[in-house]
Amino acid sequence: AFSSLCKYSMLPPPAGGSATDPEYVRGKKLSLELIQSMLKNCGPVFRSSEKFLSAMKSMLCISLVKNSVSPVPRISQLSLAIFLALMANFKDHLKAEIGVFIE
């Protein structure tokens, strides 16, 4: 489920549509809110799962980079909130990835 949410959050706008299309924004916002909820509420099993950590490194970080420059303020805000959740809960596992965001 986590990987699917990350993939969905990275979808480009539909052909001929814009990044501010209400349906597109709603779907992207929902996927980012669910990711944020998962990161805030995950237990120690997920925090130490190599599969989960690998998905975060390979998919979530790319999603955050793409969504942090969204023309929709709420999408940018959610990306920042997810980044802060990563800092709070996964900083030991994602030091290199977090360093890229800070530089």
Side-chain angles (χ1 to χ4, degrees), residues 30-86:
L30 177 62
S31 64
L32 291 171
E33 287 171 344
L34 290 171
I35 290 170
Q36 180 185 19
S37 178
M38 289 177 80
L39 292 176
K40 283 185 173 181
N41 299 310
C42 68
V45 173
F46 276 112
R47 289 187 184 148
S48 60
S49 167
E50 284 301 318
K51 188 173 182 179
F52 186 63
L53 294 171
S54 175
M56 279 196 299
K57 289 178 183 180
S58 65
M59 293 183 188
L60 182 58
C61 291
I62 295 169
S63 172
L64 292 179
V65 168
K66 289 182 176 185
N67 288 309
S68 65
V69 294
S70 172
V72 180
R74 183 63 183 143
I75 301 299
S76 299
Q77 291 169 350
L78 281 168
S79 296
L80 178 59
I82 292 170
F83 177 73
L84 293 175
L86 287 177

Side-chain angles (χ1 to χ4, degrees), residues 2-3 8 17 19-20 23 28 34 39 45 55 61 70 73 81 88-89 91 100-101:
F2 183 79
S3 298
Y8 192 82
T20 57
E23 297 261 333
K28 189 172 279 267
L34 290 171
L39 292 176
V45 173
C61 291
S70 172
N89 297 320
K91 63 183 167 206
V100 169
F101 286 102

